Amino acid sequence: MKRKKVLKIVGIVIGAILIVIAALSAFGYYMMYYSLLPNEGEFKHDAHYINPEEAILNDDFNVCNENYIFQYYNQSEVLPYLNGKNGFRDYINKNYENRNYSDSGYFNIRFIINCEGKAGRFIMHENNLDLEPQAFNSDLKKQLINLTTSVKEWQPIFLFEKNRDAYMYVSYRIENGEITEIIP
């Protein structure tokens, strides 16, 4: 009789432990694979959302999944520059020409890299070195937009076993018309 009670208690304890392990495993799986996925339509109200109607160079551009556009930094292994950041910086510095510009500040270009490595939905922001809104010389803006948008291949982010769409930005720090830094 006592042996039956002991086996029953051991069975209940082992069963409870298995249920807890299964629950923790299911929670861990959810956190790893589903908790980072955005809800449908979530990006339309977030700061990084780029409205396709306001963006430029959007005619032939399509995202692979409008409801799941991630940030480029969700993938930590590599930045989306196809030839690496140094290759991108070398390309910009080789082709950029300071035409006696006196502008200083940050010229930011935000865009989306789709799952195929193509870029589109470009939008620009201009700030002085104190990050206050300012307008840059129109020729300088045109030159930086042309250089950035002429890059036709980017490295799509790889997340959850698949290439994904991602928001990306390139910020040019400019001092007296010279590019002093390219971020990120």
Side-chain angles (χ1 to χ4, degrees):
M1 188 68 124
K2 278 189 169 197
R3 186 179 177 139
K4 256 187 173 178
K5 278 187 176 181
V6 170
L7 288 175
K8 187 176 181 180
I9 291 172
V10 168
I12 290 172
V13 169
I14 290 174
I17 290 172
L18 289 174
I19 289 172
V20 168
I21 289 172
L24 288 174
S25 296
F27 179 74
Y29 183 83
Y30 167 77
M31 292 303 290
M32 190 73 158
Y33 293 102
Y34 293 102
S35 70
L36 296 176
L37 292 176
N39 295 326
E40 188 172 328
E42 179 178 339
F43 290 117
K44 292 184 179 168
H45 304 289
D46 288 345
H48 52 264
Y49 173 72
I50 299 173
N51 185 342
E53 316 241 328
E54 297 173 6
I56 64 169
L57 302 176
N58 200 29
D59 297 335
D60 300 353
F61 181 75
N62 293 308
V63 293
C64 300
N65 188 335
E66 191 72 48
N67 296 319
Y68 297 108
I69 303 174
F70 296 87
Q71 295 289 342
Y72 75 91
Y73 52 75
N74 283 133
Q75 165 184 288
S76 60
E77 291 95 33
V78 293
L79 285 171
Y81 305 109
L82 191 62
N83 297 319
K85 184 171 181 183
N86 289 336
F88 181 78
R89 182 178 35 240
D90 292 345
Y91 162 74
I92 296 295
N93 288 332
K94 178 182 166 191
N95 293 292
Y96 175 77
E97 180 184 331
N98 183 352
R99 300 176 185 142
N100 295 318
Y101 305 129
S102 60
D103 303 82
S104 292
Y106 293 94
F107 187 72
N108 307 299
I109 302 175
R110 296 187 318 117
F111 53 99
I112 295 175
I113 300 170
N114 70 13
C115 66
E116 298 169 349
K118 294 180 173 63
R121 291 193 192 168
F122 291 88
I123 206 148
M124 278 57 71
H125 302 280
E126 306 164 63
N127 300 85
N128 64 20
L129 292 173
D130 293 324
L131 301 178
E132 300 164 334
Q134 102 172 1
F136 279 87
N137 175 298
S138 61
D139 186 56
L140 182 146
K141 289 192 299 190
K142 184 177 178 184
Q143 187 178 172
L144 288 176
I145 290 167
N146 287 341
L147 286 172
T148 306
T149 60
S150 67
V151 176
K152 297 300 179 201
E153 292 185 58
W154 295 83
Q155 181 71 38
I157 69 163
F158 188 77
L159 192 63
F160 303 118
E161 307 300 320
K162 224 174 144 179
N163 285 344
R164 304 284 182 163
D165 302 317
Y167 290 103
M168 177 62 180
Y169 75 95
V170 175
S171 184
Y172 298 99
R173 180 182 169 101
I174 300 166
E175 295 179 26
N176 299 315
E178 292 295 329
I179 297 174
T180 59
E181 190 174 3
I182 300 174
I183 304 166

